[in-house]
Amino acid sequence: KKKKVADRILPQRVRDLVPESQAYMDLLAFERKLDSTIMRKRLDIQEALKRPMKQKRKLRVFLSNTFYPAKPDAEGEEEGNVASWELRVEGRLLDDGIATKHDSHKTKRKFSSFFKSLVIELDRELYGPDNHLVEWHRTLTTQETDGFQVKRPGDRDVRCTVLLMLDYQPPQYKLDPRLARLLGIHTQTRPVVINALWQYIKTHKLQDAHEREYINCDRYLQQIFECPRMKFSEIPQRLSPLLLPPDPIVINHIISCSGPDHKKTACYDIDVEVDDTLKTQMNSFLLSTASQQEIATLDNKIHETVETINQLKVQRDFMLGFAKEPQSFINQWLESQCRDLKTMTDVVGSPEEERHAEFYHLPWAGEAVCRYFYGKVQQKRAELEQALSVRNT
């Protein structure tokens, strides 16, 4: 049987008998408020989880190069006979107090997972047009790695440029310079750009007063979109040519092959967006069932207790009624049982009253007899008419 909220409410008579039960009713009222608050918060969390939740973190990029001088005693064209250098590009998220506390149990992200592509451009004069570029691009089957390394022969300092293209999730776009100046946005996601454009339209009252689906472009929007007016539904299509790939992060570095230290390291900090740790906690809160099972168990106990209280109240009323006036109580109880028995057996009328002659001298008896005979006469007439019609045919 499905439990109802009303089954947990104590009857007014029980509350009158036990004044302390008002505390239980106050708890029920507080529980209803708490349940409505929790339900509202759960809906808010569900809506929040539909939106991307990101937080800014610092990614420290380490560019280290190691120089391997030629060995004078090496013979032939062995590897040690030629001077070379090795460049390593690595990085890690800088720990902060909040992030470390929540991420200590999670696997740390690989360095390559932050980027869509990486290009290392070496000095073209030293390595020629065919060997001066080292490229890595993300594919569907890419295996994440903690770093990249490049090894080349040479004993001279080399100028190199490292181009890092961040892997934005959701994708971000660089705005056309004119649109960027108008909206005050350089690089953002498509929904944020559309929302900023809508705020600009509302602020400058560019929506047509009669045809609400149209926008009357001011001189700035006319220069950007090259039209005097446009529909709301056309905005995403007209925005597409104005959304460009974001600029890569450019690091100019010199690979040093001189000096007493063979290994040299440079550090660069860049801002990256990572999933907010709060999102995981919110999701686990929605999926947690341990507390719900405990609450359901306690609810069942409350229902059983209230049902027991109601049964005891019925027993108490029965005993008190019998103790005060035994004779009248027994008569009322027998009449009640008689009515219940009639209901259960579908008995019509009152056989006990019909046994007495006074029953047939009541005011309604004369009219009842007339109606009875009238019904019988009509029944006989119908039967005769039917018999005559059958005989005539």
Side-chain angles (χ1 to χ4, degrees), residues 288-332:
S288 63
T289 57
S291 59
Q292 295 176 3
Q293 293 174 355
E294 184 180 358
I295 291 172
T297 303
L298 294 174
D299 276 345
N300 287 332
K301 289 184 178 179
I302 292 173
H303 281 100
E304 292 171 2
T305 304
V306 172
E307 187 176 351
T308 303
I309 291 173
N310 290 330
Q311 291 175 357
L312 292 174
K313 174 66 171 58
V314 171
Q315 294 176 11
R316 180 183 181 278
D317 293 342
F318 184 88
M319 296 301 180
L320 281 177
F322 181 75
K324 289 178 180 178
E325 297 180 4
Q327 183 179 0
S328 62
F329 178 81
I330 289 295
N331 289 334
Q332 292 174 4

Side-chain angles (χ1 to χ4, degrees), residues 5 20 26 82-84 86 89 99 113 143 175 179 190 198 239 283 307 310:
V5 178
E20 294 83 356
D26 294 340
V82 180
S84 62
E86 182 182 76
V89 182
S113 66
Q143 295 291 327
L175 274 68
L179 187 60
R190 183 185 291 267
W198 167 237
L239 268 180
N283 200 27
E307 187 176 351
N310 290 330

Side-chain angles (χ1 to χ4, degrees), residues 106-348:
K106 294 177 63 177
T107 305
K108 292 188 176 181
R109 287 182 62 177
K110 299 283 189 179
F111 175 68
S112 63
S113 66
F114 292 98
F115 304 102
K116 187 183 295 184
S117 63
L118 179 142
V119 177
I120 301 175
E121 185 177 355
L122 303 175
D123 193 335
R124 190 186 183 100
E125 296 179 358
L126 291 177
Y127 293 97
D130 299 328
N131 201 29
H132 76 294
L133 286 179
V134 180
E135 300 184 48
W136 171 86
H137 300 283
R138 175 178 298 283
T139 62
L140 296 176
T141 57
T142 296
Q143 295 291 327
E144 305 297 350
T145 178
D146 282 324
F148 305 90
Q149 66 180 37
V150 178
K151 192 170 185 179
R152 291 287 187 274
D155 55 1
R156 296 168 54 185
D157 292 353
V158 180
R159 295 192 310 274
C160 72
T161 302
V162 181
L163 305 176
L164 300 169
M165 180 65 74
L166 289 172
D167 186 19
Y168 293 104
Q169 295 296 335
Q172 294 191 11
Y173 302 92
K174 174 187 172 184
L175 274 68
D176 181 274
R178 298 170 298 173
L179 187 60
R181 285 194 300 270
L182 187 68
L183 302 181
I185 296 176
H186 183 269
T187 304
Q188 258 303 347
T189 60
R190 183 185 291 267
V192 172
V193 174
I194 293 177
N195 184 60
L197 181 59
W198 167 237
Q199 294 299 327
Y200 177 86
I201 292 169
K202 283 202 302 183
T203 303
H204 294 82
K205 300 179 181 178
L206 302 180
Q207 189 174 10
D208 195 291
H210 303 289
E211 297 179 293
R212 306 293 289 177
E213 70 273 17
Y214 280 94
I215 301 165
N216 297 319
C217 299
D218 59 7
R219 60 191 184 95
Y220 301 110
L221 290 181
Q222 287 188 30
Q223 293 174 4
I224 296 171
F225 293 107
E226 299 178 351
C227 63
R229 69 196 306 243
M230 60 181 174
K231 284 186 175 182
F232 271 103
S233 57
E234 297 175 1
I235 289 179
Q237 180 183 355
R238 291 183 177 274
L239 268 180
S240 295
L242 303 173
L243 300 180
L244 312 173
D247 292 333
I249 297 170
V250 180
I251 300 176
N252 294 310
H253 182 70
I254 295 180
I255 302 172
S256 178
C257 298
S258 59
D261 296 330
H262 292 305
K263 185 173 182 179
K264 297 179 177 60
T265 303
C267 300
Y268 304 90
D269 288 346
I270 59 177
D271 290 325
V272 295
E273 291 183 344
V274 297
D275 288 334
D276 197 338
T277 54
L278 184 61
K279 185 173 183 178
T280 305
Q281 298 176 15
M282 292 164 66
N283 200 27
S284 62
F285 169 73
L286 291 179
L287 298 176
S288 63
T289 57
S291 59
Q292 295 176 3
Q293 293 174 355
E294 184 180 358
I295 291 172
T297 303
L298 294 174
D299 276 345
N300 287 332
K301 289 184 178 179
I302 292 173
H303 281 100
E304 292 171 2
T305 304
V306 172
E307 187 176 351
T308 303
I309 291 173
N310 290 330
Q311 291 175 357
L312 292 174
K313 174 66 171 58
V314 171
Q315 294 176 11
R316 180 183 181 278
D317 293 342
F318 184 88
M319 296 301 180
L320 281 177
F322 181 75
K324 289 178 180 178
E325 297 180 4
Q327 183 179 0
S328 62
F329 178 81
I330 289 295
N331 289 334
Q332 292 174 4
W333 182 66
L334 288 175
E335 290 177 2
S336 173
Q337 294 292 313
C338 183
R339 287 194 298 269
D340 293 343
L341 183 61
K342 288 179 183 178
T343 304
M344 294 170 60
T345 56
D346 296 329
V347 175
V348 180

